[in-house]
Amino acid sequence: MDQPTISARRSLKRKLEQEFHEDRDDRKFPATETEAEADKSCQDLARDIQAQVDILNSSLSSLEADRAAAKRAVHFLSQLAKNEELVNLIVSCGAVPALVMHLQAPPPLRGESSLIPYEHEVEKGSAFTLGLIAVKPEHQQLIVDSGALFHLVELLKRHKSSGNSRAVNGVIRKAADAITNLAHENNVIKTRVRIEGGIPPLVELLECVDVKIQRAAAGALRTLAFKNDENKNQIVECNALPTLILMLQSEDTTIHYEAVGVIGNLVHSSPNIKKEVLLAGALQPVIGLLSCSCSESQREAALLLGQFAAADSDCKVHIVQRGAVRPLIDMLDSPDAQLKEMSTFALGRLAQETHNQAGIAHNGGIMPLLKLLESKNGSLQHNAAFALYGLADNEDNVAELVKVGGVQKLQDGEFIVQATKDCVEKTLKRLEEKIHGRVLKLLLYLMRVAEKSVQRQIALALAHLCASDDRKAIFLDNHGLELLLGLLESGNQRQQHAGAVALYKLATKTTSISLLDAAPLSPTPQVYLGEQYVNNSTLADVTFLVEGKRFYAHRICLLASSDAFRAMFDGGYRERDAKDVEIPNIRWDVFELMMRFIYTGSVDVDIEIAQDLLKAADQYLLEGLKRLCECTIAQDISVENVSLMYELSEGFNARSLMEACILFIFEQFDKMSSKP
């Protein structure tokens, strides 16, 4: 998982805001001056900028007047550069080379003392202004090509020759911040900083007594380490890790935030550095940050623990043993979406170890993770799903997942990305594979003794997940079916829906052959006379009178077809010896189709004639024809006619049609429940 670039952007934005507030005290002009100038025409403003640039180009000397003029010009440009819309205009007026020139101290005057007026102030303002300009990526390379990096690196070293004054600390801090802004998301410049020798002094500055310098140096190292392996290696070789780990334990939130960010970028995609960081003792301080007051440090710490957890199984266990699980679970309820995202990421990695899985569940991790499945944030939703996938691998967690309605949440969730949908599907499959043995025994026990709400959740889950061999024990012997049917009588529509879906699932799994798939051609194997003998007088020995018309038939065929015809012609009925048998209650087309089935064993049943043909088939006990009719009618079931179809099935003992009606009602329960 890539470290989110939004962290770097926030860091950069925060730096600029800090600089804005810190520099307000140094202003020599009224605050309204910049606003008044901004209202001028672009042309007038360009002339003003050009005038200040000309002053900078002509004032690189140690004369007090030149230094004062340069300081005013730099300050003027820095105030304008805070408005991002004016940065391009500043650059177009040639400000960058002029500002770079003033990153260095001017040569001392002949015969004068070595003291330079406004020492460090002009360089500080120049570095600050270049940092503001560098926020726009298109100007980063111009600043570097103008030679800024060499001078910025030299400014980082000023504490060695100039002591620990406020002015020196200020210029060092602004130089570090300018390097941060120049290298932001620019790998070429990150490499140039290393080549110019910028990393060793930055690492040295981590031990500076000035907290603001520590923060600025760590911020620069954080940016330089991000996705640049050579920079990472040099930072580690310069022995930065011990100091960074000490900074993790600082009470200053800005310090431990930058420190954990540096370590996170060092560790990212670098297994060897990850090992060195752990050996240097970073694990416990990082876990400690999970409980700090700074949400940004918490987020970075959670991300870092997720990266640590990928190392090996032992590290996963150590993270949990050292107390990370409880604060990570607490983060799941945070209003900060990114904090929740990083927490679920870490928990997902930790949940790949068996004992951790049980520990996370025991500490209350299941419910908040299930709740996060409802998130509209795709990454957060996926991380939660992945963590639950890990937890479902432990048999000790299955009952808890089922009890709290986890199966329903997994089934009913609306998942944003395909990877999450696949993960949820695998989780349900994993749960299904574990519903046996001691897990099933525990669920059945709870289904008998737990609260009614828990019993129902278990019955709902088992309807979807249980093996076919266990259905009788669950739903008949342990009254699971009663629980599902009870949900249909609930006043809660969601419970009614869940019960209907579960019953539909259970019924479809129990029904071995679907009506809509196929219907048998005949109830019993037999030999048929064939199509050519239908209503054929050849060898006919009985005639039916239907709607006043004669229909020729053969007793041997009729006797073999059903018990009704055998009783008619072999029993004591008057039809036994009659040559003509009247059929008063069946239409000709229906009777003709029924006889065609008797002679051939097969017939196409249209929906228009299916109900009348069903009545005839039931009257003459033709089970095969009944099934064909039921199949045709079942395909025409709708919300509007299902009650009539159910009555039809009851009236003519059409069991398959009845089952189809019941399944349809379960499947379309939401629509059905809204009808009177």
Side-chain angles (χ1 to χ4, degrees):
M1 176 175 178
D2 288 344
Q3 176 156 347
T5 57
I6 193 166
S7 298
R9 291 187 182 278
R10 277 192 177 181
S11 177
L12 180 60
K13 181 176 184 294
R14 194 184 68 256
K15 284 179 183 297
L16 296 180
E17 289 172 346
Q18 288 169 346
E19 300 304 343
F20 178 79
H21 292 298
E22 287 169 6
D23 276 67
R24 280 202 295 197
D25 295 338
D26 297 334
R27 289 180 178 169
K28 300 300 182 183
F29 307 108
T32 56
E33 184 177 0
T34 302
E35 296 171 6
E37 290 171 355
D39 291 334
K40 291 183 179 181
S41 68
C42 183
Q43 189 174 1
D44 290 342
L45 189 55
R47 278 198 296 269
D48 291 344
I49 294 171
Q50 189 63 60
Q52 302 304 318
V53 171
D54 291 342
I55 290 172
L56 290 176
N57 284 330
S58 61
S59 61
L60 185 63
S61 81
S62 295
L63 289 172
E64 185 171 353
D66 285 342
R67 291 291 283 175
K71 182 180 178 183
R72 286 194 298 272
V74 167
H75 185 74
F76 176 88
L77 294 174
S78 71
Q79 300 309 300
L80 292 182
K82 289 172 182 176
N83 183 344
E84 196 172 328
E85 294 178 358
L86 299 179
V87 167
N88 289 346
L89 182 60
I90 295 170
V91 172
S92 68
C93 291
V96 169
L99 289 164
V100 169
M101 181 171 63
H102 283 272
L103 289 173
Q104 57 188 319
L109 296 173
R110 290 182 183 178
E112 299 288 337
S113 67
S114 60
L115 290 176
I116 298 174
Y118 305 107
E119 190 174 18
H120 310 301
E121 292 297 324
V122 177
E123 297 92 304
K124 170 187 170 183
S126 297
F128 176 48
T129 308
L130 287 168
L132 290 170
I133 294 172
V135 170
K136 299 195 78 168
E138 61 266 32
H139 302 313
Q140 291 171 341
Q141 196 59 48
L142 171 63
I143 295 170
V144 171
D145 291 343
S146 298
L149 284 181
F150 172 79
H151 297 302
L152 290 170
V153 172
E154 289 302 307
L155 291 177
L156 297 177
K157 303 173 184 176
R158 281 205 176 179
H159 67 289
K160 294 182 178 180
S161 58
S162 304
N164 182 30
S165 69
R166 180 180 177 185
V168 173
N169 291 346
V171 73
I172 292 172
R173 191 171 73 251
K174 294 296 190 288
D177 288 345
I179 289 172
T180 300
N181 297 353
L182 280 170
H184 179 63
E185 295 186 356
N186 191 322
N187 211 43
V188 173
I189 294 178
K190 290 177 190 177
T191 300
R192 283 285 298 274
V193 173
R194 184 182 75 252
I195 293 171
E196 293 285 355
I199 289 177
L202 285 169
V203 172
E204 227 177 288
L205 290 171
L206 294 177
E207 299 189 37
C208 180
V209 294
D210 188 295
V211 171
K212 292 180 179 178
I213 289 180
Q214 290 181 36
R215 183 183 70 212
L221 290 170
R222 176 181 187 163
T223 298
L224 295 173
F226 186 57
K227 294 184 178 180
N228 189 304
D229 290 340
E230 291 81 2
N231 284 5
K232 292 181 188 181
N233 291 333
Q234 189 172 82
I235 292 169
V236 174
E237 288 165 6
C238 289
N239 202 31
L241 290 181
T243 308
L244 287 169
I245 291 170
L246 290 175
M247 291 168 69
L248 293 177
Q249 300 164 79
S250 169
E251 294 183 0
D252 187 324
T253 58
T254 61
I255 294 296
H256 58 61
Y257 168 66
E258 295 293 358
V260 74
V262 179
I263 294 173
N265 286 351
L266 289 172
V267 163
H268 178 64
S269 300
S270 301
N272 292 332
I273 293 179
K274 188 184 301 182
K275 291 177 182 177
E276 289 192 54
V277 168
L278 289 169
L279 287 172
L283 184 55
Q284 197 60 47
V286 171
I287 292 172
L289 288 179
L290 296 177
S291 303
C292 74
S293 60
C294 174
S295 63
E296 292 182 329
S297 291
Q298 287 180 303
R299 184 181 69 237
E300 295 293 335
L303 174 62
L304 190 51
L305 288 175
Q307 293 170 327
F308 287 160
D312 55 61
S313 184
D314 286 345
C315 188
K316 290 183 178 72
V317 173
H318 295 162
I319 291 170
V320 173
Q321 288 174 333
R322 287 169 175 259
V325 169
R326 187 67 257 173
L328 284 171
I329 291 173
D330 290 340
M331 288 181 198
L332 298 178
D333 293 320
S334 167
D336 186 332
Q338 286 189 312
L339 186 57
K340 290 188 284 194
E341 183 181 341
M342 293 303 102
S343 174
T344 53
F345 168 66
L347 288 169
R349 289 285 183 87
L350 294 173
Q352 303 310 302
E353 198 278 333
T354 302
H355 298 293
N356 288 356
Q357 293 159 0
I360 293 169
H362 180 72
N363 279 278
I366 289 178
M367 276 301 291
L369 286 170
L370 287 170
K371 186 177 179 182
L372 290 177
L373 293 180
E374 302 170 9
S375 170
K376 303 304 180 186
N377 180 319
S379 298
L380 175 55
Q381 191 185 65
H382 180 72
N383 286 353
F386 183 71
L388 288 165
Y389 172 72
L391 298 184
D393 192 40
N394 192 309
E395 289 188 352
D396 292 327
N397 295 340
V398 174
E400 186 63 28
L401 275 162
V402 170
K403 280 168 54 181
V404 299
V407 173
Q408 281 68 50
K409 287 187 179 293
L410 290 166
Q411 290 173 330
D412 299 340
E414 296 179 4
F415 304 112
I416 298 168
V417 297
Q418 186 59 45
T420 307
K421 296 175 184 176
D422 295 341
C423 183
V424 167
E425 188 176 337
K426 290 178 181 177
T427 303
L428 288 168
K429 184 65 177 175
R430 178 172 275 184
L431 289 171
E432 183 178 356
E433 291 170 352
K434 295 187 180 300
I435 304 292
H436 61 82
R438 70 181 181 92
V439 174
L440 180 58
K441 287 181 180 178
L442 174 57
L443 290 171
L444 291 177
Y445 173 74
L446 293 172
M447 204 165 74
R448 292 193 302 271
V449 303
E451 294 180 359
K452 183 66 73 174
S453 59
V454 173
Q455 293 179 15
R456 287 173 170 173
Q457 289 289 3
I458 294 171
L460 287 170
L462 292 178
H464 293 277
L465 301 179
C466 74
S468 57
D469 293 344
D470 296 321
R471 289 186 200 127
K472 180 178 179 296
I474 296 167
F475 295 102
L476 296 181
D477 300 345
N478 285 275
H479 309 293
L481 187 58
E482 290 180 19
L483 292 167
L484 296 180
L485 292 170
L487 287 170
L488 298 183
E489 299 174 355
S490 167
N492 184 310
Q493 193 167 358
R494 290 188 65 182
Q495 290 186 352
Q496 291 178 348
H497 171 78
V501 171
L503 286 164
Y504 176 74
K505 181 71 174 181
L506 187 62
T508 52
K509 288 168 70 173
T510 305
T511 304
S512 58
I513 300 176
S514 170
L515 267 175
L516 304 183
D517 293 337
L521 298 181
S522 174
T524 54
Q526 63 184 74
V527 177
Y528 301 99
L529 289 183
E531 178 80 22
Q532 67 273 24
Y533 288 101
V534 176
N535 198 16
N536 189 332
S537 60
T538 304
L539 299 178
D541 53 4
V542 63
T543 304
F544 293 101
L545 297 176
V546 183
E547 294 185 335
K549 294 187 287 186
R550 293 183 178 277
F551 194 102
Y552 298 101
H554 306 79
R555 290 175 185 261
I556 190 172
C557 184
L558 299 174
L559 289 170
S561 66
S562 79
D563 290 340
F565 283 114
R566 279 193 289 275
M568 180 184 293
F569 295 116
D570 279 350
Y573 296 99
R574 57 187 175 84
E575 289 88 352
R576 175 177 179 177
D577 300 319
K579 188 173 182 183
D580 295 331
V581 178
E582 186 174 359
I583 304 295
N585 59 347
I586 302 178
R587 298 198 320 266
W588 172 271
D589 56 342
V590 175
F591 187 81
E592 193 267 343
L593 205 58
M594 181 181 77
M595 298 302 288
R596 191 174 299 278
F597 175 81
I598 291 171
Y599 277 77
T600 65
S602 175
V603 71
D604 292 329
V605 181
D606 293 328
I607 189 61
E608 291 79 10
I609 203 172
Q611 291 191 32
D612 289 331
L613 191 58
L614 174 66
K615 297 174 186 177
D618 182 63
Q619 179 179 339
Y620 288 98
L621 306 180
L622 298 169
E623 291 300 321
L625 182 58
K626 274 183 68 174
R627 290 294 302 277
L628 287 174
C629 295
E630 289 176 79
C631 180
T632 299
I633 296 169
Q635 295 179 62
D636 195 47
I637 295 174
S638 67
V639 173
E640 288 71 25
N641 70 15
V642 66
S643 58
L644 296 175
M645 296 298 102
Y646 188 83
E647 290 175 6
L648 183 72
S649 70
E650 283 188 313
F652 297 99
N653 195 29
R655 184 174 179 80
S656 296
L657 178 58
M658 183 182 293
E659 291 177 358
C661 290
I662 293 171
L663 287 176
F664 181 87
I665 291 169
F666 289 150
E667 186 180 21
Q668 303 293 328
F669 188 82
D670 289 343
K671 293 179 181 178
M672 297 297 300
S673 60
S674 64
K675 295 182 71 64

